[in-house]
Amino acid sequence: MKKIIYYSRITLFIVYLIGLFLLIDKLFTIRPFGLIFFIVSLIYSFVMILTILSKKKSYFNAISYNILSIGVYLYTVLLCYITLTSSKLTVMNNDIYYKNNFILMIILLLGLILYTIELNKEED
């Protein structure tokens, strides 16, 4: 079970990066939260690549960490899907909706970054 969740997290991380790439033009229309979300996402992506390359057992064994990461990836992909399927005018009219989602994602990503650092300290 741990193996399935761990490899699902890694697979969905790639989908998350694709979704983030597709959101770039939309992110800069919602200022300043879109830009902050993009910067935090880049930091998070860098940290995730380091965790994948480190191959530490603490990341493999932390089921809650992997499930939370999967949830963040799916939420980002869903947000990307909603953004890409609606017209540009709809995105501009729903500015508050996107600001709230980006604030939520910023908080989640910062929490995951801190959790990653804590898991890294555990194994050292």
Side-chain angles (χ1 to χ4, degrees):
M1 184 67 164
K2 290 180 186 178
K3 215 178 224 187
I4 293 170
I5 294 173
Y6 178 75
Y7 290 115
S8 296
R9 176 180 72 100
I10 292 173
T11 305
L12 286 172
F13 176 66
I14 296 167
V15 176
Y16 164 79
L17 290 176
I18 294 168
L20 188 63
F21 177 74
L22 293 173
L23 274 175
I24 287 176
D25 63 331
K26 305 290 184 183
L27 289 174
F28 294 115
T29 60
I30 315 264
R31 295 186 184 223
F33 297 107
L35 181 62
I36 295 169
F37 170 71
F38 184 68
I39 292 169
V40 171
S41 295
L42 288 179
I43 294 169
Y44 174 74
S45 298
F46 179 72
V47 169
M48 283 301 104
I49 290 170
L50 290 178
T51 62
I52 292 169
L53 294 176
S54 73
K55 297 181 182 180
K56 290 186 177 183
K57 289 288 185 188
S58 59
Y59 300 118
F60 182 80
N61 292 328
I63 294 175
S64 61
Y65 172 73
N66 291 327
I67 290 174
L68 184 60
S69 295
I70 289 170
V72 168
Y73 301 153
L74 291 176
Y75 191 81
T76 304
V77 169
L78 179 67
L79 186 62
C80 178
Y81 175 76
I82 291 170
T83 302
L84 293 176
T85 57
S86 48
S87 67
K88 188 168 185 144
L89 184 61
T90 307
V91 172
M92 297 307 278
N93 289 336
N94 291 325
D95 196 32
I96 294 172
Y97 170 76
Y98 289 102
K99 280 183 185 178
N100 291 339
N101 277 301
F102 289 147
I103 290 170
L104 178 65
M105 290 300 296
I106 290 167
I107 293 168
L108 285 172
L109 290 176
L110 288 174
L112 273 172
I113 290 170
L114 293 174
Y115 193 21
T116 303
I117 293 169
E118 185 63 32
L119 282 175
N120 193 31
K121 287 180 184 176
E122 273 183 18
E123 195 158 312
D124 289 342

